[in-house]
Amino acid sequence: MTIRLYDLALADDTRPSPYASRVKMALALKGLDYETVPVGFTDIPGILGGGVTKTVPVLVDGDAVVVDSFAIAEHLEARYPGPALFQPGAGGRAAARFFESYAFRVIHAEAMPIMAKAIHDRLKPEDRAYFRSTREARLGRSLEEAFADHAARLPGYRKVFEPMRHVLAHGPYFGGDSPLYVDAILYGSVTWLMRVIDLDWLGGDVALTGWYDRCRALVAR
Amino acid sequence: MTIRLYDLALADDTRPSPYASRVKMALALKGLDYETVPVGFTDIPGILGGGVTKTVPVLVDGDAVVVDSFAIAEHLEARYPGPALFQPGAGGRAAARFFESYAFRVIHAEAMPIMAKAIHDRLKPEDRAYFRSTREARLGRSLEEAFADHAARLPGYRKVFEPMRHVLAHGPYFGGDSPLYVDAILYGSVTWLMRVIDLDWLGGDVALTGWYDRCRALVAR
């Protein structure tokens, strides 16, 4: 039975979710085939008949329904052989959780003023009111105000990638010589930025763009 | 021959360096004895006769002179048996480098406006002019201006610990079930905050204080 992944879709079917992109990379690392089910924000509460989740991605893998990207990665690691997604033991999970927090608290949070309006404008019409009201509450201002002078703020934003550059100065992947789920975490974040709004997010940094291209080639969707 | 660690000292012999504290925890994890050599900022260029380093810590271990806390950890890992400091392979180093960048770019950088004046005031008199001029250049204002209203800004600063709380929700150490060099990295950062200025940095968070107490008991100097 094919693995099914419920995946957030914009009006033009762009798939921006950093969390779904993590799962796609984890599936690619395991060499697993899958199909995606595109959903809008307002579709999420009704997934699988309703009451299952408030967020995507959701993975349906035979009898298993797994919500939350980290839990999905752990499910894939437990169920499937092949390349490991984590360094061994509890330490590997702990490192991945630290990367996950960095992505959420720094890479995503600091991009939100730039990203929110761009996401809104590309949502399906029925998703826009929900998105605007929840995001404006978080941002403390209108999407348009938050987006203003983003071009001037972009060079400062790029500092969030300094920890990534520091690691890539020593090797090709965050997992070391080969990619791990920590790479999937950061791949998801960069994919989110890139797919939502066409800005020079990485500032032409060779180490970052090289790593991102390697991940993209691996995931290929 | 006893291992010697050149360690930054304040006027009252408090040892604030986050990087030296990392090394002390790495030495403790390996079960190695050592002695410290206290130095002020202005003593650093003259260490070992001069020309060796611009920063502490410096480790002298028999014929090896190692500069930079990460290089010191790698030296200890390569030379001594006992508990591993890193997860296996290049991935373990990569994870540690990511933690290191987080400490430097987020935990330290965001604390500097609060910390700089407090460090200055506790330095040996001969170290103060150097410290004030270099730090005011980085801060873009006087140490006193940067320190103003720190009490009001402290609750916001504590957000830098959210990635740490997220990891500790799942296990006792950043290394997983037992401490690794990633713990030493973050232990160094918290020790730096705590030793320089007596503020409620951790906001009473039980997971963080519990982890910090475990590390402190292990290092014990």
Side-chain angles (χ1 to χ4, degrees):
Chain A
M1 202 142 75
T2 309
I3 294 171
R4 237 181 321 145
L5 178 68
Y6 288 84
D7 186 13
L8 186 70
L10 301 177
D12 67 358
D13 203 37
T14 294
R15 308 298 177 86
S17 165
Y19 313 106
S21 291
R22 291 174 186 175
V23 172
K24 289 173 197 173
M25 184 156 165
L27 287 160
L29 289 170
K30 286 290 189 192
L32 296 168
D33 197 24
Y34 63 98
E35 60 183 32
T36 67
V37 184
V39 292
F41 277 111
T42 48
D43 300 323
I44 296 173
I47 286 175
L48 295 169
V52 171
T53 185
K54 292 177 178 175
T55 59
V56 285
V58 176
L59 189 86
V60 181
D61 180 14
D63 57 347
V65 176
V66 193
V67 175
D68 177 78
S69 53
F70 203 96
I72 293 171
E74 293 196 302
H75 164 85
L76 297 176
E77 184 78 332
R79 183 170 287 197
Y80 295 100
L85 298 180
F86 299 97
Q87 291 263 103
R93 305 297 207 268
R97 287 196 177 93
F98 196 80
F99 279 72
E100 183 177 65
S101 273
Y102 187 81
F104 184 72
R105 299 281 173 198
V106 182
I107 303 178
H108 300 184
E110 295 192 18
M112 276 312 290
I114 297 175
M115 293 287 279
K117 179 181 179 295
I119 296 170
H120 172 272
D121 293 350
R122 298 184 59 184
L123 288 173
K124 296 176 191 180
E126 63 269 28
D127 285 345
R128 290 183 189 167
Y130 159 80
F131 186 85
R132 179 180 286 277
S133 67
T134 52
R135 270 50 176 188
E136 290 190 341
R138 278 185 221 166
L139 289 166
R141 53 199 156 143
S142 75
L143 303 183
E144 289 72 18
E145 283 165 336
F147 185 69
D149 73 2
H150 69 276
R153 285 184 290 112
L154 183 60
Y157 174 72
R158 289 195 195 110
K159 288 183 187 157
V160 304
F161 299 120
E162 288 182 14
M164 295 171 64
R165 276 200 290 272
H166 177 64
V167 179
L168 294 173
H170 296 272
Y173 290 104
F174 295 93
D177 298 326
S178 53
L180 290 176
Y181 187 62
V182 288
D183 290 274
I185 290 168
L186 299 172
Y187 163 78
S189 299
V190 177
T191 298
W192 175 66
L193 298 170
M194 299 285 201
R195 287 188 180 174
V196 168
I197 177 168
D198 184 22
L199 294 175
D200 181 16
W201 290 105
L202 303 181
D205 183 273
V206 172
L208 283 173
T209 53
W211 163 81
Y212 184 58
D213 288 344
R214 287 191 290 280
C215 293
R216 266 204 302 181
L218 211 133
V219 182
R221 66 172 151 177
Chain B
M1 202 143 75
T2 307
I3 293 172
R4 237 182 320 145
L5 179 67
Y6 287 85
D7 186 13
L8 186 70
L10 301 177
D12 67 358
D13 203 37
T14 294
R15 309 295 177 88
S17 165
Y19 311 107
S21 291
R22 291 175 185 175
V23 171
K24 291 173 195 172
M25 183 156 166
L27 287 160
L29 289 170
K30 286 291 188 191
L32 296 168
D33 197 22
Y34 62 97
E35 60 183 32
T36 66
V37 183
V39 292
F41 277 112
T42 48
D43 300 322
I44 295 173
I47 286 174
L48 294 169
V52 171
T53 184
K54 293 177 176 173
T55 60
V56 286
V58 176
L59 190 86
V60 180
D61 180 14
D63 57 347
V65 176
V66 193
V67 176
D68 177 80
S69 54
F70 203 96
I72 293 171
E74 293 196 302
H75 164 85
L76 297 175
E77 184 78 332
R79 183 171 288 198
Y80 296 100
L85 299 179
F86 299 97
Q87 291 263 103
R93 305 294 206 269
R97 287 197 177 93
F98 196 81
F99 279 71
E100 183 177 66
S101 273
Y102 186 81
F104 184 73
R105 300 280 173 199
V106 182
I107 302 178
H108 301 183
E110 295 192 17
M112 276 311 291
I114 297 176
M115 293 286 279
K117 179 180 180 296
I119 297 170
H120 172 272
D121 293 351
R122 297 184 60 185
L123 288 174
K124 296 177 190 179
E126 63 268 29
D127 286 344
R128 290 185 189 166
Y130 159 80
F131 186 86
R132 179 181 286 277
S133 67
T134 53
R135 270 47 177 190
E136 290 190 343
R138 280 185 220 165
L139 289 166
R141 54 200 156 142
S142 75
L143 303 183
E144 288 71 19
E145 283 166 336
F147 185 68
D149 73 2
H150 69 276
R153 284 185 290 112
L154 183 60
Y157 174 73
R158 290 196 195 109
K159 287 183 186 155
V160 305
F161 300 119
E162 287 182 15
M164 295 171 64
R165 277 200 290 273
H166 177 64
V167 178
L168 294 173
H170 297 272
Y173 290 104
F174 294 93
D177 298 326
S178 53
L180 291 177
Y181 188 63
V182 288
D183 290 274
I185 290 168
L186 299 172
Y187 163 77
S189 299
V190 177
T191 298
W192 175 67
L193 298 170
M194 298 287 201
R195 287 190 179 172
V196 168
I197 177 167
D198 183 23
L199 294 175
D200 182 16
W201 290 105
L202 304 181
D205 182 273
V206 172
L208 283 173
T209 53
W211 162 82
Y212 184 59
D213 288 344
R214 286 191 290 280
C215 293
R216 265 204 303 180
L218 211 131
V219 181
R221 67 172 151 177

